[in-house]
Amino acid sequence: MTLFVMIAALAAASGPGPSGRAAAAEARAKGGQAARPQPPRAERTARPGRAQPLRPPAPRRNGTPTPSRTPSPSASRTASADEAVRAALDGLGGHAGRYAIAVRDMDTGAYASYGEGTGTYDTASIVKVDILAALLLRHQARGTEPTAGQRELAADMIRSSDNDATDALWRAIGGTAGLDAANEALGLSGTSAGEFGRWGLTQTVPADQIRLLRAVFGDDSPLGPQARAFIAGLMGRIVPGQDWGVPAAADPGAPRVLKNGWLRRSTTDLWDINSIGLVPYDGHLVLVAVLSADQPSREDGIALVERAAAAAVPALVDNASP
């Protein structure tokens, strides 16, 4: 399945409503955040019998209107993409906490980043895409396929950000060591897995999240085509209410293909707010990763992430076009 066919399917097809459990609040996600302890849930297992092949789920058309893009300062089309993106983001003015962003145009290959000197960031739940990629790489290496139970857990983990499902798949990939091994295969050299089951405290940088997205949406990938389509299909069916973030940069009515993460740190009461995904804009497909930390509230962090994405994507595309 080519990327364009995949995006067309995400835009045109409709699928069933949220599956399994209701969306779990990420305020209790792994990472030491303030939360009321939750009773453990037993890992579900597949029915006896032969594992079924991967099938990308039918995507849902999201009726939520795309937020209008924040106008960015005009930049000369002769400027480099990196300069244009920097000018657009500098034009946003002051903000709380810190953030960093990377964007890559899959049509032209143009790439730009901002905030590289701000350090690493907690992944919160964007790591769930990484965990699913690790699971599928593990099965590929063994010549096996995910069980029906694992596919159901993956759907809950990505679509509704279910943390119990993530715990189960974290164990299935071998925890910290398993994720680090997968990230070495994926080329994520600036990412280190969280320890002691705290997958939400995995440390990463935007450039690595773009590498992860390229592994999902590009052809040159350690992941096979079925694995890539499976992940992409789930990212295109995020439940309503969790589909904010990088789609703020997309064309109105475009499919929303993403994964978000949000985490309140118990030591500071400040928030990590992250968003990664594929954004259709002006005939281009753009990979976007926005990471933030030390946000005063969840709402403030979401607003910052959306403003950054909506400024950076047009600046990249407009200054990479002939």
Side-chain angles (χ1 to χ4, degrees):
M1 177 183 293
T2 68
L3 183 59
F4 284 100
V5 170
M6 183 187 302
I7 294 303
L10 286 169
S14 60
S19 65
R21 298 170 294 277
E26 290 210 15
R28 65 179 181 86
K30 299 296 177 184
Q33 57 279 39
R36 199 165 24 193
Q38 300 292 322
R41 180 182 63 92
E43 180 176 355
R44 289 173 293 177
T45 56
R47 297 176 190 170
R50 187 164 161 264
Q52 301 175 20
L54 283 172
R55 292 183 181 86
R60 162 185 62 82
R61 185 193 296 272
N62 192 323
T64 306
T66 303
S68 59
R69 289 188 287 271
T70 303
S72 59
S74 59
S76 167
R77 292 176 65 86
T78 61
S80 71
D82 218 40
E83 291 170 338
V85 168
R86 187 180 309 114
L89 293 171
D90 283 345
L92 295 181
H95 59 84
R98 58 190 175 99
Y99 83 97
I101 180 172
V103 284
R104 179 182 175 86
D105 188 328
M106 296 195 70
D107 298 277
T108 65
Y111 173 86
S113 62
Y114 184 90
E116 287 185 334
T118 56
T120 61
Y121 290 80
D122 301 329
T123 55
S125 280
I126 61 170
V127 77
K128 294 172 182 179
V129 175
D130 201 4
I131 291 170
L132 180 52
L135 177 74
L136 299 179
L137 284 174
R138 195 177 185 92
H139 277 287
Q140 282 182 190
R142 295 176 176 180
T144 58
E145 292 178 342
T147 65
Q150 286 176 334
R151 292 199 317 277
E152 183 184 355
L153 289 167
D156 287 338
M157 177 176 70
I158 301 298
R159 294 194 59 221
S160 61
S161 212
D162 187 282
N163 295 323
D164 293 333
T166 309
D167 287 339
L169 294 181
W170 177 256
R171 293 192 293 271
I173 67 169
T176 301
L179 189 64
D180 281 339
N183 285 341
E184 183 175 355
L186 293 166
L188 275 61
S189 57
T191 300
S192 56
E195 297 182 338
F196 311 113
R198 294 179 175 177
W199 38 260
L201 291 186
T202 295
Q203 296 296 294
T204 194
V205 292
D208 268 9
Q209 293 305 304
I210 295 295
R211 293 184 184 101
L212 177 61
L213 292 171
R214 289 184 68 189
V216 174
F217 296 105
D219 293 329
D220 183 15
S221 171
L223 293 164
Q226 284 185 309
R228 298 198 306 271
F230 183 63
I231 300 173
L234 293 176
M235 291 178 68
R237 296 176 59 213
I238 299 298
V239 298
Q242 293 189 18
D243 54 0
W244 44 266
V246 295
D251 290 326
R256 297 183 167 214
V257 187
L258 71 148
K259 182 70 189 83
N260 292 327
W262 60 102
L263 173 67
R264 185 173 64 186
R265 298 305 307 268
S266 59
T267 53
T268 62
D269 279 336
L270 299 175
W271 289 77
D272 300 326
I273 303 292
N274 305 323
S275 186
I276 62 173
L278 178 69
V279 172
Y281 174 81
D282 196 24
H284 293 246
L285 295 173
V286 184
L287 304 177
V288 186
V290 190
L291 310 179
S292 74
D294 304 325
Q295 298 303 303
S297 69
R298 183 174 180 268
E299 292 72 20
D300 287 330
I302 291 174
L304 174 62
V305 164
E306 293 190 340
R307 289 173 63 219
V313 169
L316 178 79
V317 171
D318 292 347
N319 288 274
S321 300

